[in-house]
């Protein structure tokens, strides 16, 4: 069974601190996606990582992908309150007989940044 | 260019009633995906449709759930005889092609079964 596991599931941070969210997956997928979800809202695409070693940065967030280790990280630098949200990673399920577009999501990491 | 639209945004149904959720993809998009999100969980894939065709329904419960994407009009996810366990947020996404990173998500429909 294809599994996507995130940790931690809950993260409370002080403003200004750094932290990393981890996403492990059991497929051989070489593509991984990060999304942000605010309470009661839809999903916003943050990063699309399409190959081993891919690194992308946007503001205080940086995502990387190691396909050999089947691991992606989302690093938060100098957190601010506006980053409080739930962050999901996802891989495509096509290698498990699903179609393209069959995204498999982790359970999400609920991030709370406190002043 | 309007984004993916879903309606209604909130839907309350009593047990045994039918729920119809609608999704209008972005202009120019002919691929639609439905996902379900239970409280405190990630999204779970339900079904992938192109115009008039179901491409992958591997995530759909075998009974009571159906989906369509007609030649004209929105995609519809239909849940018959709803039960409390169907209470969730239902998101649809659309894309221009099968390239996954081009999926854009709608605002979701939050279904509550009383």
């Amino acid at each position: 069974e294809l599994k996507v596991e995130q940790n931690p599931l809950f993260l409370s941070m002080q403003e200004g601190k750094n932290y990393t969210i981890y996403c492990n997956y059991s497929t051989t997928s070489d593509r991984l996606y990060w999304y942000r979800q605010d309470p009661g809202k839809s999903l916003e695409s943050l990063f699309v990582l399409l190959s081993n070693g891919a690194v992308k940065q946007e503001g205080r967030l940086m995502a990387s992908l190691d396909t050999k280790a089947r691991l992606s990280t989302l690093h938060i630098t100098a957190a601010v309150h506006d980053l409080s949200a739930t962050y999901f990673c996802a891989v495509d399920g096509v290698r498990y007989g699903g179609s393209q577009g069959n995204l498999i999501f982790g359970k999400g990491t609920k991030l709370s940044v406190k002043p | 260019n309007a984004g993916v639209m879903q309606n209604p945004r909130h839907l309350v149904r009593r047990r045994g009633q039918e729920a119809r959720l609608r999704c209008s993809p972005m202009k120019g998009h002919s691929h639609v995906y439905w996902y379900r999100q239970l409280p405190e969980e990630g999204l779970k894939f339900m079904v992938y449709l192109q115009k008039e065709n179901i491409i992958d329904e591997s995530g759909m419960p075998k009974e009571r759930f159906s989906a369509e994407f007609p030649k004209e009009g929105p995609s519809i996810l239909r849940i018959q005889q709803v039960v409390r366990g169907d209470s969730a947020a239902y998101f649809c996404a659309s894309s221009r092609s099968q390239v996954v990173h081009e999926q854009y998500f709608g605002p979701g429909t939050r279904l509550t079964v009383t």
Side-chain angles (χ1 to χ4, degrees):
Chain A
E1 181 188 347
L2 174 54
K3 290 184 180 179
V4 180
E5 296 183 339
Q6 290 182 235
N7 73 83
L9 297 182
F10 298 93
L11 178 55
S12 182
M13 297 177 63
Q14 293 284 333
E15 277 192 330
K17 298 291 187 184
N18 304 333
Y19 209 85
T20 301
I21 298 170
Y22 297 89
C23 175
N24 291 90
Y25 55 96
S26 59
T27 179
T28 55
S29 176
D30 56 2
R31 294 185 291 195
L32 191 131
Y33 312 86
W34 283 97
Y35 291 89
R36 168 181 172 147
Q37 185 180 38
D38 291 292
K41 304 292 185 182
S42 187
L43 275 73
E44 173 192 354
S45 177
L46 291 176
F47 299 108
V48 178
L49 304 169
L50 296 176
S51 61
N52 185 41
V55 177
K56 291 196 173 179
Q57 182 163 7
E58 181 73 35
R60 300 173 188 274
L61 301 178
M62 183 173 71
S64 64
L65 178 61
D66 181 343
T67 59
K68 292 179 182 177
R70 300 181 189 178
L71 171 69
S72 180
T73 60
L74 181 65
H75 187 72
I76 303 157
T77 302
V80 293
H81 179 69
D82 285 353
L83 291 180
S84 298
T86 299
Y87 293 85
F88 293 96
C89 64
V91 299
D92 65 82
V94 65
R95 291 179 186 268
Y96 281 75
S99 56
Q100 296 266 22
N102 178 347
L103 287 178
I104 312 296
F105 282 82
K107 288 192 174 183
T109 296
K110 192 169 184 177
L111 172 65
S112 175
V113 181
K114 301 184 185 303
Chain B
N1 187 9
V4 179
M5 298 173 65
Q6 291 187 247
N7 68 82
R9 296 290 305 276
H10 299 273
L11 182 61
V12 179
R13 285 286 179 266
R14 291 200 180 100
R15 278 180 297 172
Q17 291 184 318
E18 178 179 288
R20 283 190 179 225
L21 288 60
R22 294 175 185 75
C23 169
S24 296
M26 286 180 69
K27 187 176 180 180
H29 288 193
S30 59
H31 301 249
V32 166
Y33 316 85
W34 285 94
Y35 294 84
R36 177 165 65 177
Q37 184 179 32
L38 296 171
E40 307 300 326
E41 295 279 329
L43 277 69
K44 295 216 184 301
F45 170 81
M46 299 181 75
V47 62
Y48 163 31
L49 310 103
Q50 291 181 34
K51 284 284 187 181
E52 299 184 278
N53 288 305
I54 296 175
I55 307 302
D56 179 359
E57 56 181 348
S58 58
M60 286 277 272
K62 294 288 186 282
E63 297 176 350
R64 301 187 297 107
F65 286 73
S66 62
E68 63 177 5
F69 188 17
K71 187 177 181 181
E72 301 289 339
S75 175
I76 295 175
L77 179 67
R78 182 180 176 208
I79 311 172
Q80 296 178 290
Q81 299 177 314
V82 296
V83 300
R84 287 225 172 102
D86 296 332
S87 295
Y90 292 83
F91 290 94
C92 95
S94 74
S95 69
R96 188 182 302 276
S97 72
Q98 285 184 300
V99 179
V100 179
H101 63 264
E102 289 182 340
Q103 272 187 43
Y104 296 87
F105 282 83
T109 294
R110 279 147 184 87
L111 172 66
T112 302
V113 179
T114 61

